[in-house]
Amino acid sequence: MNTNNAPPPVGSNQPPKMTARGVNVFYGAKQAIKNVSLDVRADEVTAFIGPSGCGKSTFLRCFNRMNDTVDSARVEGEIKLDETDIYAASMDVVQLRARVGMVFQKPNPFPKSIYENIAYGPRIHGLAANKTDMDGIVEGSLRRAGLWEEVKDRLGESGTAMSGGQQQRLCIARAIAVDPEVILMDEPCSALDPIATARIEELIDDLRGKYAIIIVTHNMQQAARVSQKTAFFHLGTMVEYGDTSTIFTNPSEGRTKDYITGRYG
Amino acid sequence: MATLASSTAMPVEREPTDWSSTRMQRRIARRYAAERNFRFLGLAALGLAASFLVFLLFTIVRDGWTGFLNTEVRVAVTYEPAILGLDAGRIAATADPAARRAAFRQADFAGLMLAASEQLGDFDSVVSEGAWLALRDRLEADPALLGQTEQVWVPVRSTIDLLNKGKFDLEAPEISRGVSDRDIRAWQALEAQGKLRTGFNGIFLSTADSTVPELAGIWGAALGSLLTLLVTIAVSFPVGVGAAIWLEEFAPRNRWTDIIEVSINNLAAVPSIIFGLLGLAVFLNVFGMPRSAPLVGGLTLALMTLPVIVISTRVAIKSVPPSIRDAALGIGASPIQVVFQHVVPLALPGILTGTIIGIARALGETAPLLLIGMRAFVVDTPQGFTQPATVLPVQVFLWSDDVARGFIEKTSAAIMVLMMILIAMNSVAIYLRNKFERRW
């Protein structure tokens, strides 16, 4: 297991990749997120932790506007990707989701071949000029997701026939294939066994630096292991946000401390 | 509960449960009896349904299988140019097939048949009044036969045919027997001379309706059904699937879409004859389309099938797991791409099954077609979508209504053809569902 809790490497004084300012999310009349502001840096893994129903997944889904698909959801405030407001009228949601990829809680490969799972995104975005290009993208994405050696001889087999952990890495490879700048991960290990979880965590560590990563997790140890920044959510508010090492060793808020020490959650 | 527990200081002492007491034994026996009775009732219901089905199929096949056979009588025919009014030289010189066809149409084959049947002497009445058609077909296929003599098998009258198939009780008195002594004598004599044969009924499978049973065929109605269903599929499948996709994936949820949804569900339950009235009022009276035509029948049945297709397509789309939509949206697929590249392909087995069930229902539908004139007596096989035609179930209805005894077996035989087409369509539905079914 790779326990990399070292302080963020060089480049931290770059402008943040994504910024959220005063974000409120409503489901109908119910407010799910209350006035949350934070920065996501390009070279870091940011973890959202908190008890069930605290709004961390809802907040995550604001970053690629997946909440648009929920009829009753309404987002206020400002979220910027490289200084561009992603909720502006001129923003093309399809382009945004190509730049901000997502990995879901339950592995959800398409019921197609492994190759087709990876190739689909590049194809709809016109990223490959020909078959050779596409083969290169598929191989590169699978390699980066650490899946190439396991599947290179059976690219034609169905993506749904693999084990859960492999499926989740396939989903990560699928997200990588579109060459995003940010990857959102919504509890990517909650449906996996500990060994598959460890592999995903290693993978997240390998991907750090190349992509800005935001990960939502139930598992505080996981947040401690993979992230450099941690945000603690409770009842729709962000209670505390800071360096992971500080949050876990010396939280400034009592609620954070109670949650991390397991007094509730 | 909580107050009760706290008010009594000590829980009430209970006797240990005696599982072998008579009371318990009786309870267990009752439970077993209930399970046994339910099993018996279920099996009885199943057995009853199965016996109805077997009885139905048995009756139809028993009455109908002889419809696929017919009796023919052998006569020697000399293709006399003088009787026919045909000239061998002229026929050979006519290169244009249409003109040649017209010449054969004008020739007096009925007279030729009459002359030929005289050799049967007293029994000349056994020959079917439409038997000359067989002679025309022979000569048209091979004009060199003109002037030649050959032995030809021609169909007999329906009564002789039925006699030969043993459909009459010969012991009964003539008045209640349904067949005259004269016909019986003719049949017996010809049978003794070896001039009758029973074989596969090519006429039944290749011609359209006729006033006489021995010449009536199912092909016209089958072709009419095919043309009608083509129109039905062409209209109801794209419109129904498109409407379902829009309602399920793109339509806003508001009062209007709620009203549309309720209306569609109600339309699926509207009696089919109402759709016939609608077709009559709209397609015939307002748009002035031709009566009895497969085009109008198909449109009317399409209206009836639409709600079924919309509902089954919506169910199929709903059953596609939302995680697939998320996955596609998450890598930047547009809504159209999500629907047509992921949701619809996964919903296809359900969509196709629903559509084929709807179409199969349309195939068996009679009532709405009666109202738009498809119960007409049509002796020609339909040549196009606007030509008069009838369909299989209407043909069954017409024949079952006919007084001529020979139509009894035709009715059952037509039902067999209809059911075979239905079984074939359902098999296709099952095949398509299994072919496109994907598991995840």
Side-chain angles (χ1 to χ4, degrees), chain A residues 26-38:
Chain A
F26 301 86
Y27 287 122
K30 185 176 162 285
Q31 187 164 8
I33 288 289
K34 293 165 191 160
N35 193 23
V36 173
S37 302
L38 59 72

PDB file of all heavy atoms in Angstrom, chain A residues 26-38:
ATOM      1  N   PHE A  26     -29.979  23.060  -4.305  1.00  0.00           N
ATOM      2  CA  PHE A  26     -31.324  22.767  -3.797  1.00  0.00           C
ATOM      3  C   PHE A  26     -31.902  21.594  -4.553  1.00  0.00           C
ATOM      4  O   PHE A  26     -31.744  21.500  -5.769  1.00  0.00           O
ATOM      5  CB  PHE A  26     -32.252  23.969  -3.992  1.00  0.00           C
ATOM      6  CG  PHE A  26     -31.778  25.223  -3.314  1.00  0.00           C
ATOM      7  CD1 PHE A  26     -30.888  26.076  -3.949  1.00  0.00           C
ATOM      8  CD2 PHE A  26     -32.220  25.534  -2.037  1.00  0.00           C
ATOM      9  CE1 PHE A  26     -30.447  27.228  -3.325  1.00  0.00           C
ATOM     10  CE2 PHE A  26     -31.784  26.692  -1.408  1.00  0.00           C
ATOM     11  CZ  PHE A  26     -30.886  27.541  -2.049  1.00  0.00           C
ATOM     12  N   TYR A  27     -32.562  20.697  -3.826  1.00  0.00           N
ATOM     13  CA  TYR A  27     -33.430  19.694  -4.473  1.00  0.00           C
ATOM     14  C   TYR A  27     -34.845  20.127  -4.170  1.00  0.00           C
ATOM     15  O   TYR A  27     -35.328  19.919  -3.055  1.00  0.00           O
ATOM     16  CB  TYR A  27     -33.180  18.295  -3.922  1.00  0.00           C
ATOM     17  CG  TYR A  27     -31.864  17.691  -4.387  1.00  0.00           C
ATOM     18  CD1 TYR A  27     -30.916  17.279  -3.463  1.00  0.00           C
ATOM     19  CD2 TYR A  27     -31.592  17.534  -5.737  1.00  0.00           C
ATOM     20  CE1 TYR A  27     -29.720  16.713  -3.881  1.00  0.00           C
ATOM     21  CE2 TYR A  27     -30.404  16.981  -6.161  1.00  0.00           C
ATOM     22  CZ  TYR A  27     -29.474  16.577  -5.237  1.00  0.00           C
ATOM     23  OH  TYR A  27     -28.287  16.022  -5.658  1.00  0.00           O
ATOM     24  N   GLY A  28     -35.519  20.748  -5.116  1.00  0.00           N
ATOM     25  CA  GLY A  28     -36.816  21.322  -4.822  1.00  0.00           C
ATOM     26  C   GLY A  28     -36.646  22.409  -3.778  1.00  0.00           C
ATOM     27  O   GLY A  28     -35.884  23.348  -3.973  1.00  0.00           O
ATOM     28  N   ALA A  29     -37.328  22.258  -2.647  1.00  0.00           N
ATOM     29  CA  ALA A  29     -37.227  23.278  -1.607  1.00  0.00           C
ATOM     30  C   ALA A  29     -36.110  22.951  -0.616  1.00  0.00           C
ATOM     31  O   ALA A  29     -35.717  23.788   0.192  1.00  0.00           O
ATOM     32  CB  ALA A  29     -38.559  23.387  -0.863  1.00  0.00           C
ATOM     33  N   LYS A  30     -35.614  21.724  -0.668  1.00  0.00           N
ATOM     34  CA  LYS A  30     -34.640  21.287   0.324  1.00  0.00           C
ATOM     35  C   LYS A  30     -33.239  21.713  -0.119  1.00  0.00           C
ATOM     36  O   LYS A  30     -32.845  21.488  -1.264  1.00  0.00           O
ATOM     37  CB  LYS A  30     -34.719  19.759   0.434  1.00  0.00           C
ATOM     38  CG  LYS A  30     -33.838  19.179   1.514  1.00  0.00           C
ATOM     39  CD  LYS A  30     -34.057  17.677   1.603  1.00  0.00           C
ATOM     40  CE  LYS A  30     -32.917  17.004   2.337  1.00  0.00           C
ATOM     41  NZ  LYS A  30     -31.689  16.890   1.539  1.00  0.00           N
ATOM     42  N   GLN A  31     -32.504  22.317   0.805  1.00  0.00           N
ATOM     43  CA  GLN A  31     -31.159  22.751   0.460  1.00  0.00           C
ATOM     44  C   GLN A  31     -30.176  21.648   0.834  1.00  0.00           C
ATOM     45  O   GLN A  31     -30.097  21.227   1.986  1.00  0.00           O
ATOM     46  CB  GLN A  31     -30.809  24.047   1.189  1.00  0.00           C
ATOM     47  CG  GLN A  31     -29.486  24.611   0.728  1.00  0.00           C
ATOM     48  CD  GLN A  31     -29.290  26.063   1.132  1.00  0.00           C
ATOM     49  OE1 GLN A  31     -30.088  26.613   1.878  1.00  0.00           O
ATOM     50  NE2 GLN A  31     -28.226  26.671   0.641  1.00  0.00           N
ATOM     51  N   ALA A  32     -29.415  21.167  -0.156  1.00  0.00           N
ATOM     52  CA  ALA A  32     -28.500  20.049   0.084  1.00  0.00           C
ATOM     53  C   ALA A  32     -27.080  20.539   0.349  1.00  0.00           C
ATOM     54  O   ALA A  32     -26.311  19.886   1.053  1.00  0.00           O
ATOM     55  CB  ALA A  32     -28.508  19.096  -1.100  1.00  0.00           C
ATOM     56  N   ILE A  33     -26.715  21.682  -0.218  1.00  0.00           N
ATOM     57  CA  ILE A  33     -25.371  22.238  -0.038  1.00  0.00           C
ATOM     58  C   ILE A  33     -25.533  23.713   0.315  1.00  0.00           C
ATOM     59  O   ILE A  33     -26.276  24.440  -0.348  1.00  0.00           O
ATOM     60  CB  ILE A  33     -24.542  22.084  -1.334  1.00  0.00           C
ATOM     61  CG1 ILE A  33     -24.148  20.626  -1.567  1.00  0.00           C
ATOM     62  CG2 ILE A  33     -23.286  22.950  -1.297  1.00  0.00           C
ATOM     63  CD1 ILE A  33     -23.117  20.093  -0.615  1.00  0.00           C
ATOM     64  N   LYS A  34     -24.838  24.109   1.402  1.00  0.00           N
ATOM     65  CA  LYS A  34     -25.023  25.479   1.888  1.00  0.00           C
ATOM     66  C   LYS A  34     -23.716  26.249   1.791  1.00  0.00           C
ATOM     67  O   LYS A  34     -22.788  26.003   2.555  1.00  0.00           O
ATOM     68  CB  LYS A  34     -25.519  25.460   3.343  1.00  0.00           C
ATOM     69  CG  LYS A  34     -26.923  24.895   3.472  1.00  0.00           C
ATOM     70  CD  LYS A  34     -27.245  24.537   4.910  1.00  0.00           C
ATOM     71  CE  LYS A  34     -28.538  23.737   4.990  1.00  0.00           C
ATOM     72  NZ  LYS A  34     -28.643  22.984   6.234  1.00  0.00           N
ATOM     73  N   ASN A  35     -23.661  27.147   0.824  1.00  0.00           N
ATOM     74  CA  ASN A  35     -22.602  28.151   0.746  1.00  0.00           C
ATOM     75  C   ASN A  35     -21.208  27.549   0.890  1.00  0.00           C
ATOM     76  O   ASN A  35     -20.486  27.845   1.844  1.00  0.00           O
ATOM     77  CB  ASN A  35     -22.847  29.202   1.844  1.00  0.00           C
ATOM     78  CG  ASN A  35     -21.976  30.416   1.608  1.00  0.00           C
ATOM     79  OD1 ASN A  35     -21.552  30.670   0.485  1.00  0.00           O
ATOM     80  ND2 ASN A  35     -21.694  31.150   2.665  1.00  0.00           N
ATOM     81  N   VAL A  36     -20.830  26.708  -0.030  1.00  0.00           N
ATOM     82  CA  VAL A  36     -19.520  26.053   0.041  1.00  0.00           C
ATOM     83  C   VAL A  36     -18.558  26.720  -0.939  1.00  0.00           C
ATOM     84  O   VAL A  36     -18.917  26.999  -2.080  1.00  0.00           O
ATOM     85  CB  VAL A  36     -19.652  24.555  -0.290  1.00  0.00           C
ATOM     86  CG1 VAL A  36     -18.274  23.900  -0.378  1.00  0.00           C
ATOM     87  CG2 VAL A  36     -20.500  23.868   0.759  1.00  0.00           C
ATOM     88  N   SER A  37     -17.349  27.003  -0.469  1.00  0.00           N
ATOM     89  CA  SER A  37     -16.302  27.563  -1.327  1.00  0.00           C
ATOM     90  C   SER A  37     -15.030  26.762  -1.114  1.00  0.00           C
ATOM     91  O   SER A  37     -14.660  26.483   0.030  1.00  0.00           O
ATOM     92  CB  SER A  37     -16.022  29.032  -0.962  1.00  0.00           C
ATOM     93  OG  SER A  37     -17.194  29.796  -1.070  1.00  0.00           O
ATOM     94  N   LEU A  38     -14.384  26.349  -2.196  1.00  0.00           N
ATOM     95  CA  LEU A  38     -13.063  25.735  -2.061  1.00  0.00           C
ATOM     96  C   LEU A  38     -12.331  25.775  -3.393  1.00  0.00           C
ATOM     97  O   LEU A  38     -12.911  26.044  -4.433  1.00  0.00           O
ATOM     98  CB  LEU A  38     -13.149  24.305  -1.501  1.00  0.00           C
ATOM     99  CG  LEU A  38     -13.933  23.206  -2.199  1.00  0.00           C
ATOM    100  CD1 LEU A  38     -13.260  22.729  -3.467  1.00  0.00           C
ATOM    101  CD2 LEU A  38     -14.051  22.017  -1.248  1.00  0.00           C
TER     102      LEU A  38
END
